[in-house]
Amino acid sequence: MYITDKRTSSAKPEVLFDSSSEHVVPQHVACASEQEPNESRNLWKHVTKAIRENNLNAATTQKSAIEEQQREHVKEREAQGTRFEPRFFQLEIDGNYHPKMVINDIPKEPEAAKQRVSQWIFAKPDGSMQDMDRSEDDPVVLATPHKR
């Protein structure tokens, strides 16, 4: 990514950000088969696949289907008089959503903190942990950048 300062007479493009020299942080997520249906990687996997295949028509069709399904869910909740309840956030008295996990309950020691937060994120509603082993066709594996 380049930037050019047009205020100078010798406006030459300069590198603002070089993504090829940046370190890619590995994703730490459960495999798609273990994720809930509304988790991003699961929900958008067909859109991601179509984009990777340069099939923008299919990507647009899949994206529209997701958006229509979300609108239908809103209508169903309104008809039933129920509200959407986020898994990780709760509406507080200040009118904003805050994490359900109490930040002060996170241990100070980094490894213990990582373990506590991972357990909070990757625990299924029944308390068991999501599987972190992914197959080659998992959307997370497909979306992981490869060194060229």
Side-chain angles (χ1 to χ4, degrees):
M1 178 184 301
Y2 294 90
I3 187 169
T4 304
D5 185 354
K6 299 288 187 176
R7 297 174 296 182
T8 64
S9 57
S10 62
K12 293 182 181 177
E14 295 180 32
V15 175
L16 177 65
F17 177 74
D18 180 6
S19 63
S20 66
S21 66
E22 292 299 315
H23 172 71
V24 176
V25 178
Q27 297 176 347
H28 183 72
V29 297
C31 61
S33 63
E34 289 284 315
Q35 294 179 4
E36 295 176 35
N38 64 335
E39 290 189 58
S40 292
R41 287 174 183 85
N42 221 4
L43 187 65
W44 293 92
K45 64 186 170 189
H46 299 296
V47 176
T48 301
K49 182 178 184 286
I51 291 170
R52 290 181 60 85
E53 294 171 350
N54 292 321
N55 188 342
L56 297 185
N57 288 334
T60 300
T61 299
Q62 293 293 334
K63 176 182 173 286
S64 296
I66 291 168
E67 292 168 337
E68 187 57 37
Q69 184 182 39
Q70 290 172 335
R71 284 189 282 274
E72 287 300 316
H73 287 307
V74 170
K75 288 178 188 175
E76 289 171 11
R77 283 194 303 272
E78 287 174 352
Q80 296 169 354
T82 60
R83 291 180 44 178
F84 174 72
E85 181 67 34
R87 178 174 172 193
F88 296 108
F89 298 91
Q90 60 193 12
L91 186 60
E92 297 287 349
I93 197 163
D94 65 1
N96 296 309
Y97 282 90
H98 297 273
K100 289 181 180 177
M101 178 179 231
V102 178
I103 302 300
N104 292 338
D105 289 345
I106 299 174
K108 301 289 185 238
E109 195 273 311
E111 196 55 41
K114 179 181 174 183
Q115 185 177 2
R116 173 79 57 86
V117 172
S118 290
Q119 185 174 15
W120 181 63
I121 292 171
F122 297 118
K124 296 180 189 179
D126 67 5
S128 64
M129 294 300 288
Q130 293 177 342
D131 182 10
M132 303 301 278
D133 294 326
R134 293 183 287 281
S135 65
E136 289 299 314
D137 63 343
D138 188 278
V140 174
V141 173
L142 294 174
T144 302
H146 300 284
K147 292 281 185 192
R148 298 174 195 230

